[in-house]
Amino acid sequence: MKSMLVFIWGLLLVITTETRVEIMPSLGYIELNESKVFVCVVEGAVQEMKWLHPSGKEIRDREDERLQVEQADKIVSKLVIRDAQLQDAGRYQCVCRFDESYAETAAVTVTVVQKPTFLNPKTYHEFLEGSEAFVPCDVTGIPQPLVTWKHKGRDVMHTEDGRFLLTAQGLLIQGVRGSDQGLYRCEGRIVDRGEVQSLDISVVVNVPPTVRIREGKVNVTAGSGVNVSLACLVNGHPHPYISWIRDGGPVVAEPGRFGFNSDQSVLTIYAVEKADEGQYTCTATNKINSSRDDVTLHVTANQTEEEVPSPHSTGHTVQATGGQAATVGTLDLMKAQRKEQLAVLQSLAAQQEILVRRVAEIGAEISQLTATLLPVLHSLSPPEKAHD
């Protein structure tokens, strides 16, 4: 029993005299320009606690505004690193002396890091089509981040034409096109720490306007119910302003005479007259340049609407056989009226012939459809029951 008591007493003596020094947190990552506190905790009857700089020099309170030591109590000491800089990286030690001959040390390795950071970010750029476009994206970090670019969700380096080149400060696009316009995303990634920062950049490609008239010459016959549309195909960015000119003067909207669609690329002339004949010019203008194209409108007068002599006019008289006068004007008017009536009758006859032919075609189609469907309908009919 006595030996057992001696063993327990010795064990208690070992436990009570055990010492331990620990620094928290054990990982020494500090963000650049940020502050952090490291706490040194000791177990045991410590006589002295001090912090050593990576250079080996003791860190004394108030000697450096950014590196300070605070003694919370006899067993806790704090090292405060403020506004961390790259030169603050290194191995810091907390040295605890228990008596004249015995001391223990704990250490923490401080690493100054920086998240991916964009320097002087500019998120909007304009370029002229065909030029060399440089989109800046200067990304810094500790360690230096890996930079990638995306356009419309795809890595720009996966394009097949090789016009995209990555540089240390941004993205170079050779011979920029209208299709290159859009939102680009510049990503800075530090793989080891799983940190990603992104910057969205809008790229606008300005394109000079181009104009192309669908038909260079348009022929039309005048008439109260005849309308003609003159169209020009316009491209460019920003979208050009479109205007029309005739005989050196602007063509403006006029109810019942001239009208335009929403962007004025189509000019409609209502109830075309002989006086509307001439050259029309479509002009497209944006902040880059302007472009134009011409269309010639040729109007043929409608004979039925030409001015004819009055039935009551004697017109021009000539001497006929038997010495009697004949009124040429009246005869001409009657001939014109007969010609007009004949044209109407011919038009009606043609329409009737087309109608008859179409009815015959529809009848043939119905017969063919019936011949096709009858076998199908017979196959779907239930079989007749046999009579006893």
Side-chain angles (χ1 to χ4, degrees):
M1 178 64 71
K2 183 177 181 180
S3 60
M4 180 62 71
L5 291 174
V6 171
F7 173 77
I8 294 174
W9 173 255
L11 182 61
L12 290 173
L13 182 62
V14 171
I15 294 174
T16 56
T17 58
E18 183 180 0
T19 60
R20 184 164 65 94
V21 179
E22 183 180 4
I23 295 177
M24 299 180 295
S26 59
L27 296 177
Y29 289 108
I30 307 178
E31 190 74 25
L32 184 70
N33 299 321
E34 298 292 333
S35 300
K36 196 164 188 176
V37 177
F38 295 94
V39 179
C40 180
V41 180
V42 62
E43 292 182 5
V46 65
Q47 295 182 6
E48 181 188 25
M49 301 180 68
K50 62 181 179 180
W51 286 87
L52 299 182
H53 190 268
S55 63
K57 181 182 177 181
E58 181 180 353
I59 303 173
R60 297 184 181 276
D61 195 18
R62 302 182 187 281
E63 283 187 354
D64 189 331
E65 293 182 355
R66 295 192 308 103
L67 298 177
Q68 295 183 7
V69 172
E70 299 175 1
Q71 192 72 38
D73 53 38
K74 292 183 178 181
I75 61 172
V76 176
S77 179
K78 298 179 181 179
L79 170 64
V80 182
I81 302 178
R82 292 187 172 88
D83 189 22
Q85 302 299 309
L86 292 178
Q87 62 266 27
D88 295 329
R91 187 171 183 268
Y92 290 79
Q93 300 179 71
C94 176
V95 181
C96 300
R97 185 172 61 81
F98 295 92
D99 55 38
E100 295 297 333
S101 60
Y102 180 67
E104 284 194 22
T105 302
V108 60
T109 299
V110 172
T111 302
V112 179
V113 298
Q114 183 183 20
K115 294 178 181 179
T117 304
F118 299 97
L119 303 178
N120 303 318
K122 184 180 178 182
T123 58
Y124 182 84
H125 299 273
E126 289 190 23
F127 304 100
L128 181 63
E129 183 184 41
S131 66
E132 188 174 80
F134 179 72
V135 186
C137 183
D138 194 358
V139 187
T140 187
I142 304 175
Q144 181 63 35
L146 174 67
V147 179
T148 58
W149 285 83
K150 291 183 179 180
H151 179 224
K152 298 178 181 178
R154 293 185 57 194
D155 191 327
V156 298
M157 299 310 294
H158 290 167
T159 56
E160 298 177 355
D161 53 16
R163 295 182 300 110
F164 295 85
L165 301 175
L166 294 182
T167 72
Q169 287 76 37
L171 176 66
L172 181 65
I173 308 175
Q174 297 176 327
V176 66
R177 304 169 182 171
S179 58
D180 298 329
Q181 180 169 285
L183 192 67
Y184 286 75
R185 172 162 292 184
C186 176
E187 287 187 349
R189 183 186 305 269
I190 298 179
V191 180
D192 293 344
R193 300 201 304 269
E195 295 176 351
V196 180
Q197 296 292 329
S198 62
L199 179 68
D200 289 335
I201 304 173
S202 294
V203 171
V204 174
V205 179
N206 292 319
V207 181
T210 58
V211 176
R212 182 174 65 85
I213 297 290
R214 289 180 179 175
E215 298 178 77
K217 186 175 181 180
V218 176
N219 296 314
V220 66
T221 301
S224 59
V226 178
N227 304 328
V228 62
S229 293
L230 308 178
C232 62
L233 304 178
V234 177
N235 290 312
H237 190 275
H239 188 73
Y241 169 74
I242 303 172
S243 60
W244 289 82
I245 298 174
R246 181 192 175 219
D247 296 334
V251 180
V252 297
E254 181 182 339
R257 290 292 297 125
F258 302 105
F260 299 96
N261 64 339
S262 59
D263 67 351
Q264 297 199 145
S265 62
V266 179
L267 164 63
T268 300
I269 305 173
Y270 302 100
V272 178
E273 303 173 353
K274 182 66 175 177
D276 295 325
E277 187 173 76
Q279 180 175 282
Y280 291 78
T281 301
C282 175
T283 302
T285 304
N286 65 11
K287 65 180 182 179
I288 309 302
N289 208 336
S290 64
S291 179
R292 60 193 296 171
D293 199 4
D294 302 322
V295 55
T296 300
L297 177 64
H298 179 70
V299 181
T300 302
N302 189 338
Q303 297 296 326
T304 61
E305 296 191 0
E306 289 185 338
E307 183 177 353
V308 296
S310 168
H312 304 288
S313 171
T314 59
H316 175 65
T317 59
V318 296
Q319 190 70 25
T321 304
Q324 297 181 351
T327 305
V328 177
T330 303
L331 293 175
D332 289 343
L333 176 60
M334 294 175 64
K335 288 168 63 177
Q337 291 175 341
R338 295 294 184 271
K339 185 176 181 179
E340 182 179 355
Q341 293 172 357
L342 179 60
V344 172
L345 291 174
Q346 289 175 342
S347 175
L348 292 174
Q351 294 179 10
Q352 183 177 8
E353 182 181 352
I354 293 172
L355 181 61
V356 170
R357 185 167 59 251
R358 183 56 185 155
V359 169
E361 291 175 352
I362 294 175
E365 291 175 359
I366 293 175
S367 298
Q368 183 178 0
L369 181 61
T370 302
T372 303
L373 291 179
L374 280 177
V376 177
L377 294 175
H378 284 307
S379 64
L380 295 177
S381 301
E384 296 183 359
K385 294 182 178 181
H387 296 284
D388 293 336

